[in-house]
Amino acid sequence: MKDSLHIAVAQTATPPESHDEALAMVQRAIDSVPEADLIVLPELALCGYGEAGRVQRLAVEQDSAFIGQVAELSRRSGKGLIAGYAEQAGATRYNSAIAIGPDGTVRGNYRKVNLWGPYEKSLFAPGTPSPVMEWGGLKLGLLICYDLEFAEAARDLVLRGADTLIVISATSRPYSVVPDVLVPARGYENGCHVVYANVVGRDATFDFIGMSRITAPNGSVLAGADDQGAAIIAAEVKRSTVDAWRAGHNYLADRRPDIYRLS
């Protein structure tokens, strides 16, 4: 049984102004990595992050025609896709990540739990933790940007079986500590891969840092982008790498949750 995925990250630089532009962006990402099994786009990639009016205008329901078109691009290419979008659910709006399998079916939809600052809190409601998804012999869990800064969010997913954390992000300056320190640290302390897909460049008042990366359980960087523009990075992510690392660094089994007060 295959225990690996060829995962690509599309570090995006220009926010779409319409659903048609968003579809074109997804198609370009698909065309850029013909060998990929799964392509990951950043937080709110399908509507852009920086302008509240654009976020509201491009927000859609999960079962909308637009998401159906995105799913059709996945189906036609035979590639999985994970991307951020503004999800409208009745009168409530969420900062969400949708996970679409290579057959075009929705495998998971995660609504960001930890909203960052007044900007996000004015636009979105908080959601609930991500499902853990079986995917090509791996088990994936979703986080969105600020979620990564809460160690318990990553640990929860790993304790529920995740061996790979997919983190879609819109991290801006001056927070390079996130890709430089937190991404490899979350992987190291949980014995898992971390796939971090970030935005780069300016959108309204935000100046995004890029620095997307894919890290191994030992904290090493398998693939990385810089902070200078749009980029595609890719790496082979393997369950066997996780198993080998955990065999010698069994933090999960050595935990002592009974002696720490966490509430």
Side-chain angles (χ1 to χ4, degrees):
M1 176 181 174
K2 182 180 179 182
D3 82 332
S4 66
L5 284 173
H6 193 99
I7 300 180
V9 169
Q11 177 171 290
T12 57
T14 304
E17 294 293 338
S18 68
H19 289 148
D20 285 344
E21 287 187 14
L23 291 169
M25 177 183 65
V26 172
Q27 187 63 64
R28 287 193 300 273
I30 288 171
D31 293 342
S32 296
V33 276
E35 70 280 10
D37 300 309
L38 173 62
I39 300 170
V40 183
L41 280 76
E43 179 179 14
L44 296 178
L46 301 183
C47 64
Y49 182 98
E51 292 186 11
R54 186 179 60 223
V55 170
Q56 293 165 333
R57 176 168 54 84
L58 297 182
V60 294
E61 295 181 353
Q62 182 185 327
D63 61 356
S64 65
F66 169 65
I67 294 298
Q69 289 174 297
V70 175
E72 178 61 14
L73 294 181
S74 279
R75 188 195 67 77
R76 287 204 310 242
S77 67
K79 300 181 188 306
L81 179 73
I82 295 173
Y85 75 113
E87 179 191 357
Q88 197 70 44
T92 305
R93 190 182 307 111
Y94 298 98
N95 181 338
S96 296
I98 194 155
I100 300 168
D103 59 355
T105 61
V106 174
R107 294 192 177 182
N109 189 75
Y110 167 56
R111 296 166 171 174
K112 186 175 184 177
V113 169
N114 299 288
L115 299 175
W116 179 80
Y119 178 74
E120 287 190 18
K121 291 173 184 176
S122 71
L123 285 169
F124 305 110
T128 55
S130 164
V132 173
M133 302 170 290
E134 299 270 357
W135 206 302
L138 295 171
K139 293 183 178 181
L140 312 184
L142 302 175
L143 296 171
I144 300 178
C145 200
Y146 194 40
D147 288 331
L148 190 70
E149 299 182 37
F150 297 84
E152 61 268 29
R155 178 57 55 85
D156 167 67
L157 287 169
V158 172
L159 289 176
R160 288 191 282 121
D163 50 51
T164 303
L165 303 180
I166 306 293
V167 185
I168 65 171
S169 191
T171 303
S172 58
R173 302 185 194 281
Y175 300 109
S176 59
V177 65
V178 175
D180 279 342
V181 177
L182 293 186
V183 170
R186 291 291 173 263
Y188 188 96
E189 68 195 10
N190 288 295
C192 64
H193 294 283
V194 181
V195 178
Y196 174 77
N198 196 32
V199 187
V200 70
R202 188 166 287 280
D203 182 6
T205 61
F206 297 93
D207 188 11
F208 300 109
I209 61 174
M211 300 175 67
S212 298
R213 56 199 54 204
I214 301 172
T215 61
N218 66 2
S220 63
V221 178
L222 301 177
D226 62 25
D227 64 351
Q228 295 303 305
I232 298 284
I233 62 170
E236 195 79 11
V237 173
K238 299 180 179 180
R239 174 69 204 196
S240 58
T241 302
V242 172
D243 292 340
W245 177 254
R246 290 180 180 175
H249 307 81
N250 207 348
Y251 299 126
L252 300 180
D254 291 341
R255 293 166 60 246
R256 295 289 306 280
D258 52 311
I259 69 169
Y260 298 109
R261 182 173 180 174
L262 298 177
S263 61

